[in-house]
């Protein structure tokens, strides 16, 4: 299952990864179209937008040791999705370097 979170209402949904009624079908039903992919090294975030109102959605696959896939939808503007991308980058950094900084020792 993919955790889907409405950014404006904080409503949470569980959407299937595959099969009938999966998250991609749900996105299409909601009018979202993919508009960009953001590479973060080991993962690639997918940015979606609805033409009718310009609302965004951001999908990120499991990150390194974390097994949760998330879909943030109903993001009202570019600043909102940019903040989520920043937080994802920060999370990746913290997971990669648990002490907060890369080790200089080998």
């Amino acid at each position: 299952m993919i955790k889907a979170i409405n950014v404006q209402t904080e409503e949470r949904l569980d959407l299937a990864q595959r099969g009938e009624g999966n998250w991609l079908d749900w996105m299409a039903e909601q009018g979202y179209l993919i508009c960009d992919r953001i590479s973060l090294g080991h993962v690639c975030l997918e940015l979606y937008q609805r033409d009718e109102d310009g609302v965004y959605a951001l999908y990120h696959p499991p990150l390194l040791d974390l097994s949760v896939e998330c879909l943030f939808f109903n993001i009202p503007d570019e600043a909102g999705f940019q903040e989520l991308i920043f937080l994802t980058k920060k999370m990746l950094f913290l997971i990669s370097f648990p002490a907060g900084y890369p080790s200089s020792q080998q």
Side-chain angles (χ1 to χ4, degrees):
M1 295 301 258
I2 293 176
K3 296 291 181 189
I5 300 165
N6 184 326
V7 171
Q8 294 187 46
T9 67
E10 298 183 13
E11 172 190 12
R12 290 176 168 80
L13 307 170
D14 286 329
L15 301 173
Q17 291 175 321
R18 294 173 185 77
E20 190 173 328
N22 66 51
W23 73 278
L24 287 170
D25 291 344
W26 184 86
M27 291 286 285
E29 290 170 7
Q30 302 302 310
Y32 286 101
L33 298 171
I34 191 162
C35 61
D36 199 5
R37 286 190 171 93
I38 300 109
S39 177
L40 299 179
H42 299 289
V43 297
C44 186
L45 305 179
E46 294 178 351
L47 181 64
Y48 295 81
Q49 188 174 24
R50 282 194 314 220
D51 284 337
E52 66 189 56
D53 55 11
V55 173
Y56 294 94
L58 183 70
Y59 165 78
H60 78 68
L63 304 173
L64 300 175
D65 294 334
L66 302 177
S67 62
V68 177
E69 291 179 73
C70 289
L71 172 66
F72 297 96
F73 67 97
N74 204 18
I75 304 168
D77 54 28
E78 186 174 339
F81 80 74
Q82 290 292 349
E83 181 180 355
L84 288 170
I85 292 169
F86 170 78
L87 292 172
T88 302
K89 287 178 180 179
K90 186 174 180 177
M91 186 171 38
L92 279 171
F93 178 80
L94 293 173
I95 292 169
S96 298
F97 306 107
Y101 296 98
S103 174
S104 59
Q105 299 175 347
Q106 292 190 7

